[in-house]
Amino acid sequence: MDMLDDATEKPKADADIRVGRRVRALRLERNLSLAELAAKAGVSIGALSQIERGLSSLRVKVIWPLAAALDIEPSALITDGNEAANDLYCVRADKRRQLPVKSEGIAKALLSPPGAALTGLLVTVEADGGTAEAYAHIGHEFGYVLSGEVELVVDSTKYVLKSGDSFAFKSTLLHAFRNPGTEPCRILWVNTTKPSEVRDGA
């Protein structure tokens, strides 16, 4: 009997953990603290903490106010964990969030999941596209050119990098980049700053 109970409880516990991770990921994605989300949803901090840790099931009466507080559809909280949805620890290829960019010809897709210590980006620079001016911010960064070529300027020194080349520097140094080629350039770019602090100088 005990073995049967264990077998029936395990799938439920796994589902609670997946839902909890999803709730925490969505909260972190919106830069909300546990207390802030709890207040917006009208639930206690303790109850929300237990949901996020998978120690408590997401009750029907909590789904609606929690979804409203996160500005999502209720179904987004309870979709099956095997579906291609973002999680606390992973980002699916078709679920990448595009970051706002002011400069012409640059697109930045967020690769790192919410709460990650590092900000991973897929930066695409169209031909003749690039930053409007040199800029600097806190942290460090690393990049690997996946395809095409990029002209990178760091602390007044210019580097022309092509597919397979990589770079790293302190973000506090003035830096800028542009695509001097005729084809789009794709760069795997990693920052130690949060997505909201990553600027393109425009």
Side-chain angles (χ1 to χ4, degrees):
M1 185 67 178
D2 290 340
M3 291 178 65
L4 181 59
D5 289 341
D6 289 343
T8 55
E9 283 298 317
K10 190 169 188 256
K12 179 176 178 295
D14 287 346
D16 288 343
I17 290 172
R18 288 196 299 269
V19 170
R21 285 178 178 174
R22 189 171 298 119
V23 171
R24 187 179 176 208
L26 290 165
R27 174 174 64 79
L28 292 173
E29 206 170 59
R30 287 153 180 73
N31 295 315
L32 292 172
S33 68
L34 201 64
E36 288 171 334
L37 180 56
K40 288 182 69 174
V43 299
S44 71
I45 297 176
L48 181 58
S49 176
Q50 287 201 328
I51 290 171
E52 287 194 357
R53 288 182 291 157
L55 301 178
S56 174
S57 297
L58 188 59
R59 307 294 180 187
V60 174
K61 66 179 181 180
V62 177
I63 292 175
W64 293 96
L66 191 56
L70 291 167
D71 194 26
I72 58 172
E73 291 296 322
S75 58
L77 292 176
I78 54 176
T79 50
D80 186 82
N82 293 323
E83 292 184 5
N86 290 348
D87 184 74
L88 187 61
Y89 305 117
C90 66
V91 177
R92 306 296 181 178
D94 61 343
K95 301 293 182 180
R96 293 173 187 157
R97 183 160 63 93
Q98 295 295 318
L99 297 183
V101 179
K102 296 178 182 178
S103 291
E104 292 292 328
I106 298 177
K108 295 181 178 180
L110 185 61
L111 300 178
S112 50
L118 299 174
T119 297
L121 303 168
L122 177 60
V123 179
T124 302
V125 189
E126 299 296 334
D128 293 325
T131 52
E133 59 186 15
Y135 64 105
H137 52 88
I138 61 171
H140 296 259
E141 43 202 287
F142 164 83
Y144 176 80
V145 182
L146 297 168
S147 61
E149 62 179 303
V150 62
E151 183 182 276
L152 176 68
V153 179
V154 180
D155 197 21
S156 301
T157 301
K158 184 186 296 183
Y159 306 89
V160 177
L161 305 172
K162 298 185 178 182
S163 179
D165 294 337
S166 55
F167 58 85
F169 55 87
K170 287 184 178 180
S171 306
T172 50
L173 297 173
L174 279 174
H175 53 283
F177 59 93
R178 60 178 292 272
N179 181 354
T182 58
E183 301 293 331
C185 176
R186 296 170 72 247
I187 307 166
L188 173 61
W189 208 306
V190 180
N191 285 268
T192 58
T193 52
K194 294 179 181 178
S196 59
E197 297 170 331
V198 176
R199 296 291 180 261
D200 65 1

